Amino acid sequence: MTLVFATNNINKVKEIRSALEAGFEIISLKEAGIDKEIPEPHDTLEANATEKSKTIFELTGRDCFSEDTGLEVDALGGAPGVKSARYANGEPQYADNIAKLLDKMKGIANRKARFRTVISLIMNGKETLFEGVCEGHITEERIGTEGFGYDPIFIPEGAGQTFAEMPLDEKKKMSHRTRALVQLIDWLKKEQQPAAG
Ligand code: IMP
């Protein structure tokens, strides 16, 4: 089964591809011949994910999915959350976003945070939402060079290192995105099963 993945983020494509099971394939927007940046104007991850998948379904008519991810920090009342991509200055700049977050967290002892991913799947024209969460905490400084986004300042629960210190194979075992994807795949497998009786 092939699904269009409504993203231009090469890191997200890599992560999702590495976690896919045999029998499932994704193609990126570029590979689907779409050269379009889809806006994320809404106040929730769910609404942004829905906007992206619906836009791609309208353009291609193909089964597709999108995802939107946010980093929710308890001490900051859940910020940056849905605004994670443009936290610092309106443009998606990883280094500036991290610098702003570490600055806001200076001197704060409660560093609990989580990544939350919402996937919107459109299959046969009908939408289904899936969610994946990874609990963890924010470091005092950047550590590691792998991954992308906020990976250098996030240590997932039960791990002794940041996502940016892990090879992709390690991150994918516990990542929010993989957890949402696993639910999506389980759902697809059930849908594909012939009805009993
Ligand atoms: P979006 O889902 O592309 O809107 O991502 C929101 C923000 O969270 C962006 O700044 C991303 O770089 C960041 N982000 C999304 N997923 C991850 C991840 O797995 N690790 C670290 N940062 C992420």
Side-chain angles (χ1 to χ4, degrees):
M1 175 184 298
T2 303
L3 299 169
V4 179
F5 181 20
T7 187
N8 287 312
N9 184 328
I10 191 70
N11 293 294
K12 288 184 177 181
V13 174
K14 255 196 231 163
E15 254 187 62
I16 293 269
R17 260 199 190 124
S18 79
L20 276 177
E21 295 181 17
F24 295 95
E25 275 181 38
I26 56 161
I27 58 171
S28 66
L29 284 186
K30 205 169 161 208
E31 288 160 343
I34 297 167
D35 183 17
K36 190 175 164 80
E37 200 59 54
I38 308 161
E40 299 177 346
H42 301 290
D43 289 341
T44 63
L45 298 175
E46 285 80 0
N48 281 336
T50 296
E51 169 111 10
K52 288 189 268 189
S53 61
K54 289 203 166 150
T55 303
I56 296 311
F57 181 67
E58 277 159 22
L59 281 171
T60 63
R62 295 178 66 165
D63 294 333
C64 61
F65 71 100
S66 72
E67 65 94 73
D68 200 24
T69 296
L71 176 62
E72 301 170 347
V73 181
D74 284 357
L76 303 179
V82 70
K83 305 265 184 283
S84 293
R86 291 167 177 76
Y87 188 43
N89 55 11
E91 285 302 310
Q93 299 284 349
Y94 296 157
D96 294 347
N97 286 341
I98 286 181
K100 178 171 176 182
L101 187 56
L102 288 181
D103 196 47
K104 293 248 177 210
M105 293 295 285
K106 244 183 214 151
I108 295 180
N110 174 11
R111 307 192 73 89
K112 260 182 79 61
R114 72 203 49 77
F115 275 112
R116 200 161 71 84
T117 291
V118 172
I119 289 181
S120 161
L121 168 75
I122 299 196
M123 191 79 189
N124 302 320
K126 187 175 153 281
E127 186 193 26
T128 309
L129 293 173
F130 305 90
E131 185 187 70
V133 174
C134 179
E135 298 284 345
H137 68 268
I138 303 296
T139 55
E140 306 269 348
E141 56 183 26
R142 311 172 50 107
I143 314 168
T145 52
E146 298 292 320
F148 68 103
Y150 296 92
D151 280 348
I153 59 164
F154 184 83
I155 299 186
E157 217 168 65
Q161 49 183 193
T162 66
F163 270 153
E165 292 179 281
M166 298 177 191
L168 182 55
D169 269 359
E170 212 41 51
K171 178 183 177 188
K172 99 178 174 206
K173 285 183 199 157
M174 56 192 99
S175 102
H176 39 291
R177 191 166 293 102
T178 306
R179 287 178 179 158
L181 182 72
V182 165
Q183 293 194 42
L184 162 71
I185 290 177
D186 285 351
W187 186 92
L188 287 172
K189 281 182 183 163
K190 279 190 202 130
E191 282 291 299
Q192 282 181 328
Q193 268 169 13

